[in-house]
């Protein structure tokens, strides 16, 4: 199939058209609008870097970036730990293994918005009454402080995504040659030694994939944030994605919201590219 | 040997305990959906005293559930359908065309995956607003744009396993490119189409933000309706929980029937 074949272009035209209209053109426009006073309808003035300067001075936005980063780092660590542990658990030869896989994966199928509402009930009502019943004050008033809101979000997303990460690790664990592990066992390696010297290095590519997925998805979290805490109390659990939506559609500050969106893109692109580059390098070394 | 077997039983026991803990939010949701507002307050952990279906009936009506279910199904089926049709065609064409241009186009699609939705959201909504396309048709077209990158990537990867000699033989026999693709190649891509379908169904079915910016109340999908419903029922947990339970029933039914394909599809998509 050559370039000058009409069929080549007919085959790729629909997706090129939709990608251009839905992503590429809005992306370029968005970049340009961030330097203007665009109000959603028209841009009458070119402002240069004015929006960006305002943004860097904006304490609330800085707090959102910091909160998002903290959240992403915490959940990447937790999710990979949980995902690998669950994968090691369910790849053992047990009758109930497939039942466990089914259960651990289930939350992924239900949208973040609905899961956030369910956990809002668990944190507020269930934790609240358990706290009253057992006299543990730490359990009451969840989601009403910044710290409990943070951990609430971490718990919710760990519960939701661990099963997904588990599936990735399972796929790589099942590719480890059985005879390699058996040979090591015969040679007298303990199960801990077998894990650190064989299993762990061989699942390194899974770590690259799952770290990419967990990083980019935790930086972009919106639904869970909206339904669990709605950014409260006092916007202290508001993440960057939510900050953009609010600035644009609640406060109607379109150009300013778009400036946040450009910075958001730069953060995610930098983090993702660095992470993949670094992980790939590490994989080769092993 | 005996000791390792006992160890396995201990591990299995803790595994099952963890699985129960994993299910506990669903347990709490379901049992409390049957309780009265008062009983949720007095006994949140136990089974309902005198369970009634009242909460479910009211939530079902207030959610306008049959309509939002229908809207969700229509949008998901059409969205995933066009993603499968057009991404498989593009993946095939890009894999078979070895030119530099084709390589660049493929790279652009892959690079587009790095752009988060929020970065294009505002101009996108404005653009579609001007074109008077803030409706279901516009939404489905957008899903093609957002879903095509990963799908083309998966189809492109799968094509490397299908030899070009098949195409050539069919062309010599007088078939054109469309016939070659639809009659020979597309059926061979079925396993990857299942993966692409599952990944996109999960995403589109659960998507909230995009529909919330585009759809009116009458064409609201389940997540969107759920959000509107919740606004009215803050503090009325008995109704809210019944609504949540109703909303996830279709997903659980789907998972029950297609469990194996879903887990395999997701792992296929993640490993590629």
């Amino acid at each position: 199939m050559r370039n000058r074949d009409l069929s080549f272009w007919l085959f790729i035209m629909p997706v090129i058209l939709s990608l251009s209209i839905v992503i590429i053109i809005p992306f370029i426009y968005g970049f340009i609008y961030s330097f203007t006073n665009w109000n959603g309808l028209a841009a009458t003035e070119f402002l240069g870097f004015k929006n960006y300067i305002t943004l860097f001075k904006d304490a609330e936005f800085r707090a959102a970036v910091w909160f998002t980063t903290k959240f992403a780092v915490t959940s990447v660590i937790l999710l990979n730990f949980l995902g690998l542990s669950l994968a090691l658990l369910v790849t053992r030869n047990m009758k109930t293994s497939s039942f466990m896989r089914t259960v651990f994966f289930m939350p992924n199928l239900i949208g973040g918005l609905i899961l956030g509402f369910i956990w809002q009930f668990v944190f507020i009502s269930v934790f609240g009454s358990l706290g009253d019943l057992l006299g543990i004050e730490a359990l009451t008033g969840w989601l009403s402080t910044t710290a409990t809101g943070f951990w609430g979000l971490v718990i919710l997303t760990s519960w939701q995504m661990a099963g997904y990460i588990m599936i990735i690790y399972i796929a790589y664990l099942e590719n480890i040659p059985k005879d390699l592990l058996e040979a090591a066992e015969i040679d007298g390696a303990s199960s801990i030694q077998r894990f650190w010297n064989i299993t762990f290095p061989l699942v390194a590519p899974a770590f690259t994939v799952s770290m990419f997925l967990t990083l980019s998805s935790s930086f972009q979290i919106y639904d869970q944030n909206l339904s669990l805490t709605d950014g409260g109390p006092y916007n202290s659990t508001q993440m960057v994605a939510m900050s953009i939506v609010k600035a644009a559609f609640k406060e109607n500050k379109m150009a300013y919201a778009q400036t946040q969106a450009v910075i958001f893109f730069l953060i995610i692109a930098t983090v993702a590219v660095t992470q993949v580059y670094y992980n790939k390098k590490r994989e080769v070394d092993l | 040997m005996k000791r390792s077997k006992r160890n396995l039983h201990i591990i299995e026991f803790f595994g099952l305990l963890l699985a129960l803990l994993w299910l506990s939010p669903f347990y709490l949701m379901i049992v409390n959906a049957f309780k009265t507002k008062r009983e949720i307050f007095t006994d949140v952990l136990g089974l309902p005293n005198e369970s009634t279906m009242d909460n479910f009936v009211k939530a079902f009506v207030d959610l306008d559930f049959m309509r939002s279910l229908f809207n969700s199904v229509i949008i998901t089926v059409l969205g995933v359908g066009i993603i499968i049709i057009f991404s498989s065609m593009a993946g095939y064409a890009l894999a078979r065309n070895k030119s530099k241009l084709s390589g660049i186009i493929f790279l652009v699609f892959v690079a587009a995956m790095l752009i988060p939705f929020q970065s294009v959201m505002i101009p996108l909504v404005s653009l579609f607003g001007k074109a008077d396309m803030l409706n279901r048709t516009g939404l489905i077209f957008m899903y093609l744009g957002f879903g095509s990158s990963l799908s083309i990537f998966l189809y492109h990867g799968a094509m490397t396993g299908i030899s070009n000699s098949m195409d050539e033989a069919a062309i010599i026999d007088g078939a054109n490119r469309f016939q070659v693709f639809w009659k020979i190649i597309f059926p061979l891509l079925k396993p990857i189409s299942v993966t692409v379908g599952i990944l996109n169904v999960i995403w589109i079915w659960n998507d909230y933000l995009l529909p919330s910016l585009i759809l009116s109340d009458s064409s609201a999908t389940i997540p969107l309706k759920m959000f509107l419903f919740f606004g009215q029922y803050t503090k009325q947990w008995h109704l809210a929980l019944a609504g949540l339970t109703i909303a996830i029933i279709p997903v659980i039914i789907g998972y029950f029937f297609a469990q194996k394909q879903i887990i395999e599809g997701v792992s296929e998509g993640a490993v590629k």
Side-chain angles (χ1 to χ4, degrees):
Chain A
M1 208 186 244
R2 287 157 304 176
N3 283 342
R4 57 171 193 274
D5 288 355
L6 180 65
S7 57
F8 173 72
W9 292 103
L10 285 175
F11 270 64
I12 61 171
M13 221 11 111
V15 288
I16 290 194
L17 213 64
S18 66
L19 188 86
S20 311
I21 295 174
V22 173
I23 298 179
I24 298 174
I25 295 172
F27 185 71
I28 296 166
Y29 264 95
F31 185 70
I32 298 168
Y33 283 142
S34 70
F35 295 98
T36 68
N37 65 346
W38 186 49
N39 60 6
L41 295 169
T44 54
E45 211 183 324
F46 183 78
L47 299 176
F49 282 98
K50 205 174 154 210
N51 287 326
Y52 287 87
I53 293 165
T54 321
L55 187 63
F56 285 118
K57 287 182 185 158
D58 185 342
E60 198 179 306
F61 182 72
R62 281 207 311 259
V65 172
W66 177 231
F67 188 86
T68 311
T69 311
K70 255 193 335 192
F71 171 79
V73 171
T74 314
S75 45
V76 165
I77 296 170
L78 253 176
L79 274 170
N80 280 287
F81 174 75
L82 264 173
L84 180 58
S85 310
L86 293 180
L88 288 169
L89 172 72
V90 302
T91 44
R92 275 161 190 271
N93 195 12
M94 300 182 294
K95 268 189 201 138
T96 50
S97 290
S98 67
F99 166 75
M100 288 183 207
R101 272 182 216 210
T102 307
V103 168
F104 293 135
F105 184 73
M106 195 159 79
N108 284 284
L109 297 170
I110 301 162
L113 189 90
I114 289 177
L115 298 179
F117 284 135
I118 297 175
W119 275 92
Q120 198 192 339
F121 173 72
V122 173
F123 285 133
I124 296 177
S125 294
V126 179
F127 275 36
S129 24
L130 272 179
D132 286 340
L133 200 74
L134 305 169
I136 304 170
E137 212 161 297
L139 284 176
T140 55
W142 264 67
L143 308 181
S144 63
T145 69
T146 312
T148 51
F150 175 82
W151 287 108
L153 275 162
V154 170
I155 293 171
L156 159 62
T157 48
S158 305
W159 173 75
Q160 179 186 359
M161 272 193 77
Y164 198 96
I165 306 304
M166 170 192 79
I167 296 285
I168 297 173
Y169 278 109
I170 290 174
Y172 285 87
L173 281 174
E174 282 176 348
N175 276 332
I176 296 178
K178 285 263 179 326
D179 43 346
L180 204 62
L181 291 166
E182 274 164 23
E185 199 176 353
I186 291 165
D187 288 346
S190 71
S191 59
I192 293 168
Q193 280 172 328
R194 268 175 284 152
F195 175 76
W196 280 115
N197 297 320
I198 298 172
T199 309
F200 197 66
L202 285 174
V203 294
F207 183 66
T208 308
V209 176
S210 72
M211 196 172 164
F212 176 78
L213 276 171
T214 44
L215 260 182
S216 59
S217 68
S218 0
F219 266 104
Q220 292 183 49
I221 272 190
Y222 173 76
D223 296 6
Q224 291 87 335
N225 196 190
L226 177 74
S227 57
L228 191 71
T229 64
D230 195 16
Y234 308 107
N235 292 339
S236 66
T237 62
Q238 179 170 295
M239 296 206 210
V240 181
M242 179 183 264
S243 166
I244 298 170
V245 176
K246 275 196 177 159
F249 300 108
K250 284 211 172 126
E251 297 157 18
N252 228 19
K253 295 190 284 194
M254 294 293 180
Y256 191 61
Q258 188 53 44
T259 311
Q260 297 188 13
V262 171
I263 297 294
F264 187 48
F265 162 73
L266 290 176
I267 295 174
I268 288 176
T270 313
V271 169
V273 171
T274 319
Q275 178 264 322
V276 171
Y277 175 78
Y278 180 77
N279 274 108
K280 283 276 175 210
K281 230 171 84 177
R282 205 180 124 262
E283 265 174 45
V284 177
D285 284 343
L286 284 167
Chain B
M1 216 55 208
K2 219 168 189 176
R3 220 189 87 196
S4 75
K5 199 152 199 186
R6 207 187 59 205
N7 281 348
L8 196 63
H9 282 306
I10 295 171
I11 291 170
E12 186 167 20
F13 175 75
F14 280 107
L16 287 172
L17 222 56
L18 193 64
L20 283 186
L21 185 71
W22 225 256
L23 287 173
S24 61
F26 295 118
Y27 165 81
L28 291 164
M29 171 187 76
I30 294 167
V31 295
N32 286 296
F34 285 100
K35 293 176 190 170
T36 60
K37 201 175 163 182
R38 200 190 142 77
E39 205 190 339
I40 292 178
F41 192 71
T42 52
D43 176 23
V44 77
L45 293 180
L47 290 169
N49 254 335
E50 40 193 315
S51 53
T52 83
M53 292 297 283
D54 291 359
N55 297 340
F56 287 94
V57 174
K58 183 151 184 2
F60 191 86
V61 173
D62 288 353
L63 268 173
D64 202 352
F65 187 71
M66 288 322 279
R67 188 202 290 230
S68 35
L69 180 68
F70 174 77
N71 289 335
S72 270
V73 169
I74 275 284
I75 287 169
T76 308
V77 168
L78 293 178
V80 175
I82 66 165
I83 289 174
I84 288 180
I85 291 172
F86 292 122
S87 304
S88 61
M89 286 167 64
Y92 167 70
L94 291 171
R96 283 287 186 259
N97 182 317
K98 302 285 184 215
S99 72
K100 211 171 186 179
L101 180 70
S102 147
I104 293 172
I105 295 172
F106 180 66
L107 212 67
V108 169
F109 273 100
V110 175
M113 282 196 261
L114 276 181
I115 301 178
F117 173 68
Q118 268 86 0
S119 295
V120 296
M121 163 184 78
I122 310 167
L124 177 72
V125 172
S126 144
L127 192 73
F128 275 66
K130 278 180 191 152
D132 212 9
M133 282 286 280
L134 290 181
N135 51 36
R136 203 180 277 169
T137 316
L139 180 67
I140 290 167
F141 183 78
M142 287 181 199
Y143 280 139
L144 177 61
F146 288 117
S148 57
S149 281
L150 178 67
S151 310
I152 288 174
F153 184 68
L154 291 170
Y155 277 118
H156 191 273
M159 279 308 299
T160 51
I162 299 172
S163 155
N164 199 11
S165 56
M166 292 225 233
D167 302 42
E168 281 160 3
I171 299 245
I172 289 167
D173 287 346
N176 64 36
R177 280 286 172 189
F178 283 90
Q179 288 167 328
V180 172
F181 180 71
W182 289 114
K183 293 204 172 133
I184 300 168
I185 307 294
F186 189 71
L188 292 173
L189 288 170
K190 200 181 155 204
I192 211 75
S193 293
V194 173
T195 298
V196 168
I198 283 167
L199 292 175
N200 285 301
V201 165
I202 296 175
W203 158 55
I204 295 179
W205 182 269
N206 290 317
D207 192 23
Y208 163 73
L209 182 55
L210 188 56
S212 79
L213 299 173
I214 287 169
L215 296 178
S216 60
D217 193 30
S218 64
S219 51
T221 56
I222 292 175
L224 188 47
K225 197 75 196 173
M226 208 62 225
F227 183 76
L228 300 171
F229 174 81
F230 244 83
Q232 303 166 36
Y233 293 103
T234 28
K235 309 286 171 244
Q236 301 221 45
W237 277 115
H238 57 302
L239 295 176
L241 292 172
L244 288 169
T245 308
I246 295 172
I248 68 173
I249 287 173
V251 180
I252 301 299
I253 293 175
Y255 192 33
F256 185 76
F257 282 109
Q259 217 182 93
K260 202 165 151 255
Q261 286 87 332
I262 290 173
I263 292 191
E264 270 172 15
V266 166
S267 94
E268 186 78 12
V271 172
K272 275 282 152 63

